[in-house]
Amino acid sequence: DAKTTQPPSMDCAEGRAANLPCNHSTISGNEYVYWYRQIHSQGPQYIIHGLKNNETNEMASLIITEDRKSSTLILPHATLRDTAVYYCIVRLMEYGNKLVFGAGTILRVKS
Amino acid sequence: NAGVMQNPRHLVRRRGQEARLRCSPMKGHSHVYWYRQLPEEGLKFMVYLQKENIIDESGMPKERFSAEFPKEGPSILRIQQVVRGDSAAYFCASSPPEDTEAFFGQGTRLTVV
């Protein structure tokens, strides 16, 4: 079962930063936070993952609170093509552990 | 480096026929996952395989469904005697041996008529 809580939907203006929150208050010390997105029935796309330090790549930034009970995915300059369902997943990075998807957040980027 | 390749992209089967879905992982990836997404629903885990081994099949229906990932060739998800309720998008993902991030294919959309 998913161990994260996300808002069901969010809107963001094109060109602005999209900040997607995720609550994972029961996360254990060796569980990572992963973010994926699914654009209109395509295959889910990996975005970023992290353990406790903030992470940044060419797609997004991941900010994890010091107590690791919540995190925020930041898309710095949202475009219309970022409209998608965003999934926050906690997972042990060890052999045999699957990704468990919840309902995610529908992000609508509007012009 | 080609991504995860799934074929066919679309598959139509009559009730009672067999469906075979193929997944070729990314180069160097030794782990494969299969997920199912029913219309207007979320992604549900089905099975996790390593070459020649099933690691976790806790999401697989008990009957009619099977999966394999042979030493050579793609991973196969096989559905025998398909029913209308099997109509869904089936996604495959692969990950490297260190099992960090998983990358998904574009899916096979199965329609049972």
Side-chain angles (χ1 to χ4, degrees), chain A residues 18-33:
Chain A
N19 297 289
L20 292 95
C22 180
N23 184 291
H24 32 79
S25 57
T26 61
I27 193 169
S28 62
N30 52 355
E31 284 184 311
Y32 285 71
V33 179

Side-chain angles (χ1 to χ4, degrees), chain A residues 89-105:
Chain A
I89 302 165
V90 295
R91 173 184 181 253
L92 284 167
M93 195 189 296
E94 65 182 33
Y95 185 78
N97 251 283
K98 57 188 177 280
L99 291 162
V100 178
F101 288 82
T105 295

Side-chain angles (χ1 to χ4, degrees), chain A residues 33-49:
Chain A
V33 179
Y34 283 77
W35 284 84
Y36 281 77
R37 71 181 182 183
Q38 188 175 25
I39 298 172
H40 191 244
S41 308
Q42 295 179 19
Q45 180 185 20
Y46 166 80
I47 301 174
I48 200 166
H49 74 279

Side-chain angles (χ1 to χ4, degrees), chain A residues 7-12 17-21 73 84 105-110:
Chain A
S9 65
M10 293 180 62
D11 290 341
C12 176
N19 297 289
L20 292 95
L73 179 75
T105 295
I106 300 171
L107 175 68
R108 298 184 188 89
V109 181
K110 301 186 174 182

Side-chain angles (χ1 to χ4, degrees), chain A residues 60-94:
Chain A
S61 295
L62 173 61
I63 309 298
I64 303 174
T65 58
E66 196 166 339
D67 63 7
R68 302 211 323 122
K69 293 186 177 184
S70 64
S71 60
T72 301
L73 179 75
I74 301 172
L75 307 177
H77 305 287
T79 71
L80 297 177
R81 287 183 290 183
D82 291 321
T83 293
V85 181
Y86 286 78
Y87 299 98
C88 170
I89 302 165
V90 295
R91 173 184 181 253
L92 284 167
M93 195 189 296
E94 65 182 33

